[in-house]
C-alpha cells in the first residue's frame, strides 16, 4: 500500500464521537486563560488550604491548580516543594522506578516542527530496526540490568501495529543469564481501536501519548501536515486505548511550545476527562519533557516559551500536587543536576543509561549521533552511576513489574494508589528487585551503598511482611530470582 493511502485510512473520527460534546473537546482555551487570569496574586491561606487538600491525596480542581500556578512568593513555593515530596512519599514511598527507552524506527510521515524525526528533515538518517537488531539492543539493555523498557517509533506504515507487536514479542523473548525484560511500555502514534487490540494481545504495559501542546492554535501551527495535524485524534488517543482494553495509559506535554501554566492546566483537564469516562481511572503516569536541541530543527532555539529551570521545578511540583495518585516521569532529557533537584518534589520514574539513536545500545561508541536521534539528551550517565546517586539520596531503585504481572493495573491500581497504599506492595517488591540488581549487575561501590539503603528500608517495613522479605533476600543471595510478594 502506498504511504498516502495508508495515511488516509488511519483516522476513524467515529471512534471519538462518543467522547465529544457537540463536536467540542474538553480543552476550552478561553476558560483556561480566564482561570489563570482570575486567580492571580492568590491569598496565602487559600494556597495553604489547597496544599492541605493535596496532602489528603485528593485530586485538585482546575481553579485550585490555577491558584497554585499563580503563586509568586518564594516561601510558599518552598512549602509546595515540601508538600510535593510528602505526597509522593505517602503514595509511593522512597523508591524510584527505572527504565530505558528503546527507539525502534525513525521513519515518520508527520512534520512536527520541533522534532528531528520529522518527514522533511533531510539531515536525519532513517532506519527501522530488524527484529534481529531489536534482539541485540535488548540483550545490551538486559546486560546492564534493565527490566523495563519504553519502545518508541515514528508514525509510518513501516512501524504500524504489526511491526510494533513483533518488536514487543522479540523483546519479551530475549533472555541473558538471569536477566529479561518484564514490562514493555510503548510511546507511539495514536491508533484506532483495532490496532490497539493487536498491542494488547502481545502484553504491552502502558501506552503513552504526549499531546505536545494543549493550546489549539499553537498545535495547529506546529503540526502543519500529516496525521498528527488532527488535534482531536491525538487528544482522544488514550480514551480509545482504554476502549480497546489497554487500561494503563500515560499522558504528557512537551514543555517549551506554549505557556507552561496553560500546559499544566491541559494535563489536569485531560486527567479529569479520563477519570470521567473510565470509572475514575486517570493517567497511570504524566510526563513533562522539556524541548531539547535537535539536528536541523531551528524551532527549538526560536521558541519564546522556553521553560527556565526555576519554572520547571515549579511545574513538576504543581502536577504532583494536582494529581497525587499519578506516577511522574522525569527523563534523561534533563541534565544530572536538574534531576537531583527535581526528583525530590515528586517524581516516581526516571530512565537511565539512555541512548536514543536507532541501534545505539549495540553501538560501542559513547558519543551521541545526532543525525540518528530525535533530540539531544542531557543525562547520558550509566545505570550504575544513576542508581548509586539515588542510593546516596536514600532511594531504592525499583525494577519491579509485579503490579502489572499480578493484575494491579487500571482501576485496581488506581483504587490502591488513591488510598495511598501502593507502597505496601511496592516497597517490598522494590527492595527485592533492587537486591537482584545489586547481586547481578552493580559495581562494588554501588553494591555497598545499596545494601545500606536496603537495610534502612527494611527497618521501616511492617512486622507482618518483614520476615518474608528477609527470607526472600537470603534466597536471592543464593541465586533465586523473580521472587515477589
Ligand atoms: N511519533 C510518535 C508521536 O509523536 O506520538 C511517538 C513519539 S515521539 C518519537 C516521542 C516524544 O518525543 C514526542 O511525543 C515529543 O513529545 C518528544 N519530542 C519530540 N521532539 C522533541 C525535542 N526536540 N525535544 C524533546 N522532546 C521531543
Ligand atoms: Fe514524527 Fe513523533 Fe517526531 Fe512528530 S514527534 S515528527 S510524529 S516522531
Amino acid at each position: 500500500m502506498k504511504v498516502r493511502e495508508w495515511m488516509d485510512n488511519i483516522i476513524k473520527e467515529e471512534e471519538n464521537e462518543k467522547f465529544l460534546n457537540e463536536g467540542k473537546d474538553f480543552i476550552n482555551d478561553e476558560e483556561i486563560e480566564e482561570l489563570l487570569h482570575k486567580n492571580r496574586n492568590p491569598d496565602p491561606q487559600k494556597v495553604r488550604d489547597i496544599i492541605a487538600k493535596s496532602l489528603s491525596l485528593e485530586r485538585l480542581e482546575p481553579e485550585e491548580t490555577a491558584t497554585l500556578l499563580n503563586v509568586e512568593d518564594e516561601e510558599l513555593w518552598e512549602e509546595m516543594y515540601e508538600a510535593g515530596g510528602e505526597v509522593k512519599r505517602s503514595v509511593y514511598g522512597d523508591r524510584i522506578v527505572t527504565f530505558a527507552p528503546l527507539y525502534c524506527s525513525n521513519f515518520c510521515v508527520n512534520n512536527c516542527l520541533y522534532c528531528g524525526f520529522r518527514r522533511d528533515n533531510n539531515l536525519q538518517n532513517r532506519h527501522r530496526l530488524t527484529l534481529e537488531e531489536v534482539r541485540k539492543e535488548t540483550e545490551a539493555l538486559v546486560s546492564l540490568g534493565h527490566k523495563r523498557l519504553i519502545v518508541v517509533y515514528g508514525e509510518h506504515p513501516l512501524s504500524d501495529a504489526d511491526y510494533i507487536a513483533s518488536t514487543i514479542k522479540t523483546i519479551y523473548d530475549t533472555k541473558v543469564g538471569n536477566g529479561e525484560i518484564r514490562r514493555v511500555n510503548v510511546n507511539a502514534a495514536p491508533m484506532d481501536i483495532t490496532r490497539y487490540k493487536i498491542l494488547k494481545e502481545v502484553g504491552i504495559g502502558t501506552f503513552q501519548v504526549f499531546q505536545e501542546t494543549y493550546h489549539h492554535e499553537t498545535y495547529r501551527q506546529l503540526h502543519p501536515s500529516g496525521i498528527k495535524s488532527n488535534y482531536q485524534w491525538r487528544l482522544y488517543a488514550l480514551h480509545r486505548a482504554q476502549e480497546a482494553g489497554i487500561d494503563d495509559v500515560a499522558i504528557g506535554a512537551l514543555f517549551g511550545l506554549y505557556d507552561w501554566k496553560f500546559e499544566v492546566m491541559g494535563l489536569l483537564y485531560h486527567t479529569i476527562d479520563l477519570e470521567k469516562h473510565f470509572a475514575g481511572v486517570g493517567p497511570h503516569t504524566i510526563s513533562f519533557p522539556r524541548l531539547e536541541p535537535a539536528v536541523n530543527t531551528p524551532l527549538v532555539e526560536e521558541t519564546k516559551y522556553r521553560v527556565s529551570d526555576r519554572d520547571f521545578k515549579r511545574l513538576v511540583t504543581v502536577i504532583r500536587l494536582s494529581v497525587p495518585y499519578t506516577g511522574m516521569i522525569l527523563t534523561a532529557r534533563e541534565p544530572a543536576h536538574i534531576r537531583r533537584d527535581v526528583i525530590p518534589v515528586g517524581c516516581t520514574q526516571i530512565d537511565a543509561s539512555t541512548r536514543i539513536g536507532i541501534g545505539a545500545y549495540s553501538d560501542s561508541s559513547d558519543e551521541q549521533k545526532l543525525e540518528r536521534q530525535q533530540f539531544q539528551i542531557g543525562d547520558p550517565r550509566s545505570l550504575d552511576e544513576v542508581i548509586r546517586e539515588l542510593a546516596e539520596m536514600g532511594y531504592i531503585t525499583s525494577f519491579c513489574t509485579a503490579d502489572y504481572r499480578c493484575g494491579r493495573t487500571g482501576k485496581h491500581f488506581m483504587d490502591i494508589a488513591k488510598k495511598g497504599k501502593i507502597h505496601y506492595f511496592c516497597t517490598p517488591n522494590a527492595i527485592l528487585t533492587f537486591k537482584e540488581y545489586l547481586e547481578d549487575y552493580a559495581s562494588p561501590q554501588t553494591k555497598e551503598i545499596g545494601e545500606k539503603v536496603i537495610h534502612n528500608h527494611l527497618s521501616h517495613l511492617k512486622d507482618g511482611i518483614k520476615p518474608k522479605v528477609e527470607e526472600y533476600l537470603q534466597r536471592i543471595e543464593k541465586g533465586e530470582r523473580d521472587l515477589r510478594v
Side-chain angles (χ1 to χ4, degrees):
M1 198 195 290
K2 295 253 165 29
V3 174
R4 187 70 248 175
E5 201 186 323
W6 178 86
M7 287 170 69
D8 288 344
N9 283 296
I10 292 291
I11 295 180
K12 316 261 177 351
E13 301 275 9
E14 64 280 10
E15 290 186 3
N16 279 353
E17 253 158 43
K18 65 191 275 195
F19 302 116
L20 295 167
N21 190 356
E22 292 176 1
K24 289 213 168 98
D25 56 68
F26 56 82
I27 297 291
N28 179 336
D29 297 39
E30 288 77 38
E31 183 180 295
I32 292 179
E33 304 281 12
E34 172 64 22
L35 274 175
L36 286 170
H37 186 76
K38 211 175 78 188
N39 289 289
R40 281 170 312 162
N41 306 316
D43 171 34
Q45 191 48 49
K46 187 174 173 197
V47 173
R48 292 196 173 101
D49 290 346
I50 298 171
I51 297 176
K53 180 172 176 186
S54 302
L55 287 169
S56 71
L57 307 185
E58 253 187 274
R59 202 251 304 126
L60 299 184
E61 295 301 328
E63 168 121 26
E64 294 163 331
T65 295
T67 305
L68 295 187
L69 287 166
N70 273 306
V71 168
E72 281 307 332
D73 176 23
E74 213 31 72
E75 263 178 44
L76 271 179
W77 275 108
E78 288 300 328
E79 288 177 37
M80 284 156 68
Y81 299 148
E82 273 292 306
E86 186 69 36
V87 165
K88 191 250 157 178
R89 264 190 304 281
S90 44
V91 180
Y92 287 93
D94 270 330
R95 70 188 175 95
I96 302 285
V97 167
T98 308
F99 68 95
L102 171 52
Y103 276 69
C104 292
S105 175
N106 61 356
F107 285 93
C108 196
V109 297
N110 296 314
N111 249 328
C112 314
L113 296 185
Y114 43 82
C115 177
F117 288 174
R118 72 188 182 284
R119 189 195 63 202
D120 292 350
N121 186 0
N122 49 19
L123 297 187
Q124 181 74 215
N125 285 344
R126 309 281 166 176
H127 184 58
R128 179 186 82 154
L129 294 181
T130 63
L131 294 182
E132 182 52 23
E133 286 169 330
V134 170
R135 192 181 56 72
K136 283 210 179 105
E137 291 284 277
T138 309
E139 282 174 357
L141 285 159
V142 170
S143 303
L144 296 173
H146 280 292
K147 299 279 186 278
R148 289 174 169 250
L149 299 185
I150 181 147
V151 279
V152 189
Y153 312 79
E155 182 164 29
H156 196 275
L158 285 172
S159 50
D160 204 345
D162 288 327
Y163 169 74
I164 296 180
S166 312
T167 57
I168 295 172
K169 270 199 251 168
T170 305
I171 293 167
Y172 280 134
D173 287 345
T174 303
K175 318 270 174 213
V176 186
N178 282 332
E180 65 191 350
I181 297 299
R182 298 177 186 158
R183 177 167 174 135
V184 182
N185 298 331
V186 177
N187 184 323
M191 297 183 187
D192 59 17
I193 291 175
T194 311
R195 286 180 166 87
Y196 283 130
K197 286 187 174 158
I198 297 175
L199 301 188
K200 167 86 182 156
E201 199 54 20
V202 292
I204 78 159
T206 310
F207 196 83
Q208 187 182 62
V209 174
F210 303 157
Q211 187 61 23
E212 322 297 11
T213 173
Y214 284 92
H215 188 253
H216 285 83
E217 177 54 23
T218 307
Y219 188 95
R220 198 185 58 74
Q221 288 168 11
L222 295 174
H223 305 98
S225 63
I227 302 166
K228 197 158 163 180
S229 58
N230 187 322
Y231 178 101
Q232 289 187 345
W233 182 244
R234 196 164 183 88
L235 193 65
Y236 290 98
L238 300 168
H239 292 61
R240 295 191 303 277
Q242 294 250 25
E243 287 269 288
I246 297 177
D247 56 1
D248 279 349
V249 297
I251 63 173
L254 181 54
F255 282 87
L257 302 178
Y258 188 62
D259 176 26
W260 63 272
K261 296 183 183 176
F262 187 99
E263 306 295 15
V264 173
M265 295 295 288
L267 289 166
L268 179 68
Y269 276 98
H270 202 161
T271 300
I272 293 173
D273 207 68
L274 285 168
E275 286 180 359
K276 176 173 132 194
H277 288 287
F278 300 98
V281 181
H284 189 70
T285 57
I286 299 183
S287 297
F288 31 86
R290 272 196 291 187
L291 205 53
E292 299 297 333
V295 81
N296 191 26
T297 306
L299 180 114
V300 177
E301 277 74 45
E302 288 162 8
T303 178
K304 57 178 194 214
Y305 295 107
R306 181 179 297 280
V307 176
S308 68
D309 292 348
R310 186 198 71 169
D311 290 345
F312 185 62
K313 185 170 178 179
R314 290 181 171 189
L315 75 87
V316 176
T317 306
V318 177
I319 296 172
R320 172 74 295 154
L321 294 174
S322 300
V323 193
Y325 62 77
T326 196
M328 291 182 59
I329 304 181
L330 179 64
T331 72
R333 289 174 180 85
E334 299 299 335
H337 72 278
I338 297 288
R339 294 178 117 191
R340 263 192 297 276
D341 192 35
V342 170
I343 286 172
V345 300
C347 301
T348 61
Q349 296 196 24
I350 62 168
D351 52 337
S353 67
T354 300
R355 303 273 177 278
I356 61 168
I358 310 289
Y361 292 107
S362 0
D363 180 344
S364 53
S365 106
D366 263 354
E367 259 171 62
Q368 295 193 52
K369 300 205 171 71
L370 287 186
E371 68 296 342
R372 281 200 308 182
Q373 293 189 187
Q374 193 189 15
F375 51 84
Q376 193 174 348
I377 60 165
D379 184 0
R381 288 176 303 163
S382 72
L383 180 60
D384 192 71
E385 277 174 273
V386 169
I387 289 182
R388 195 179 324 140
E389 180 173 280
L390 289 174
E392 281 160 5
M393 292 163 80
Y395 293 110
I396 289 268
T397 297
S398 174
F399 295 90
C400 176
T401 50
D403 51 354
Y404 163 66
R405 290 184 298 157
C406 301
R408 285 195 287 271
T409 59
K411 182 150 174 50
H412 190 185
F413 175 88
M414 279 298 144
D415 289 345
I416 302 171
K418 285 181 178 173
K419 291 187 193 119
K421 291 207 169 129
I422 278 294
H423 65 279
Y424 289 121
F425 300 100
C426 292
T427 304
N429 288 325
I431 292 175
L432 297 174
T433 56
F434 189 42
K435 177 72 175 172
E436 282 189 12
Y437 175 83
L438 296 179
E439 290 294 311
D440 292 340
Y441 306 100
S443 65
Q445 303 94 303
T446 304
K447 189 162 170 135
E448 191 186 330
I449 169 121
E451 292 289 355
K452 283 190 195 141
V453 175
I454 289 185
H455 185 76
N456 261 343
H457 278 73
L458 270 181
S459 59
H460 294 119
L461 282 186
K462 296 253 176 321
D463 287 343
I465 188 81
K466 198 167 155 188
K468 186 160 192 179
V469 175
E470 283 171 334
E471 180 210 319
Y472 280 7
L473 286 172
Q474 283 174 11
R475 284 167 57 183
I476 291 172
E477 275 180 18
K478 291 193 184 115
E480 276 188 71
R481 292 292 173 269
D482 207 10
L483 298 171
R484 54 179 185 261
V485 298

